[in-house]
Amino acid sequence: MTRKSFICGNWKMNATHLDAIQMVQKLSYRLETADYERVDVVVAPPFTSLRSVQTVIEADHLAIELAAQNVHWEQSGAYTGEVSPPMLAKLGVGYVIVGHSERRQMFGETDETVNKKVKAVLAADMVPIMALGETLEEREEGVTEQRVGSQLVNGLAGLTPDQAVGVIIAYEPIWAIGTGRTAEPDDAASVIGFLRRTFGDTFGGELAEHVRIIYGGSMNPGNVAALMAKKDIDGGLVGGASLDPDQFASVVRYWV
Ligand code: PGA
């Protein structure tokens, strides 16, 4: 089974809309048609930059795709400060990161709200990038699989197998995010293999071979090739290294 590689730059709370325009233009100069054939190349700017980046993508006919970093599960209403799935879909957003550990830790997201968001994103014909991962404490206690397994099952609860296989799962060990401390490729592959088997237990072994599961946590040009060499790792969610178009392009072109 070949699964197309998927690499998404998560810009987090960085870049004004003017910075964002420059970043996506620079990125596009560094990539070639063959790169997009091999990898789905996605950037996730802050909400305030989505429209500007989308305009550049459209005007220059770029194959770079757009992701949002968060969403609310309702369609509209009295939810001050929130943004709904139809608003994003209308902007040409194709993917939405859901349940990033920063949102779980700092903004009170739970498996239950993650599940609502996953369903709302699918209902708006976008693809959820559902993030999950263990803390350092959980890893040291030896409960990594228990933790990520329950995040996976709860996050995908109530989905049909056809819906579930369209979700991109991002395994991001929390201790590796923004720390420069990447998981060893063998360790990342072992957890991702476990996630694939757990997915298979719920939705069937055949679909488990199709679902894309990516790694995130200090991925950079220096470690991407070793991570991508693992057959179970289908791509990356890249934070820090995605803010520099040169570095991000090198991550996208991991085989070069
Ligand atoms: P990082 O962030 O690459 O800076 O570790 C990854 C993420 O949080 O998605």
Side-chain angles (χ1 to χ4, degrees):
M1 172 66 225
T2 51
R3 296 176 295 264
K4 189 173 179 191
S5 298
F6 180 93
I7 296 186
C8 176
N10 174 11
W11 295 1
K12 308 193 179 184
M13 197 174 72
N14 294 292
T16 66
H17 72 290
L18 299 174
D19 301 328
I21 289 170
Q22 290 203 353
M23 284 160 73
V24 76
Q25 278 171 337
K26 282 188 187 155
L27 176 63
S28 73
Y29 300 150
R30 286 156 181 75
L31 296 177
E32 293 163 13
T33 309
D35 300 327
Y36 300 106
E37 280 162 10
R38 211 157 160 163
V39 180
D40 286 333
V41 183
V42 182
V43 293
F47 287 136
T48 46
S49 300
L50 286 173
R51 174 65 170 151
S52 313
V53 173
Q54 183 261 339
T55 306
V56 175
I57 288 175
E58 198 174 270
D60 296 351
H61 306 287
L62 305 181
I64 297 170
E65 296 177 277
L66 256 190
Q69 299 175 16
N70 184 29
V71 70
H72 195 272
W73 57 85
E74 294 290 349
Q75 303 290 299
S76 63
Y79 301 98
T80 302
E82 295 293 321
V83 169
S84 78
M87 294 172 186
L88 297 175
K90 202 77 176 171
L91 268 183
V93 169
Y95 304 86
V96 184
I97 302 171
V98 168
H100 190 280
S101 61
E102 286 151 16
R103 297 216 55 86
R104 292 181 192 255
Q105 289 190 320
M106 292 185 262
F107 302 100
E109 294 208 3
T110 62
D111 285 354
E112 199 189 341
T113 56
V114 169
N115 180 245
K116 285 186 187 178
K117 292 180 179 197
V118 164
K119 288 175 176 161
V121 170
L122 288 168
D125 288 327
M126 297 181 292
V127 174
I129 303 170
M130 188 177 85
L132 43 79
E134 82 286 2
T135 61
L136 186 57
E137 216 172 32
E138 287 163 342
R139 171 155 288 253
E140 283 168 352
E141 279 169 21
V143 297
T144 296
E145 292 193 348
Q146 208 175 310
R147 182 78 189 108
V148 298
S150 71
Q151 287 177 316
L152 180 81
V153 170
N154 295 336
L156 301 180
L159 266 56
T160 65
D162 277 356
Q163 289 176 317
V165 75
V167 176
I168 293 172
I169 315 291
Y171 167 57
E172 300 203 297
I174 294 169
W175 46 270
I177 295 178
T179 57
R181 185 176 161 195
T182 322
E184 288 302 323
D186 279 339
D187 290 342
S190 143
V191 177
I192 288 180
F194 167 79
L195 288 168
R196 201 175 292 289
R197 290 193 297 281
T198 306
F199 184 97
D201 292 342
T202 312
F203 299 107
E206 203 189 317
L207 289 185
E209 288 303 308
H210 290 263
V211 71
R212 288 191 285 184
I213 312 185
I214 63 176
Y215 167 81
S218 300
M219 192 182 246
N220 61 45
N223 58 34
V224 62
L227 288 158
M228 293 302 289
K230 298 289 168 189
K231 76 168 181 23
D232 265 320
I233 303 182
D234 300 323
L237 189 53
V238 186
S242 73
L243 295 175
D244 174 354
D246 282 319
Q247 282 199 38
F248 187 58
S250 301
V251 173
V252 167
R253 311 182 77 202
Y254 60 86
W255 61 90
V256 177

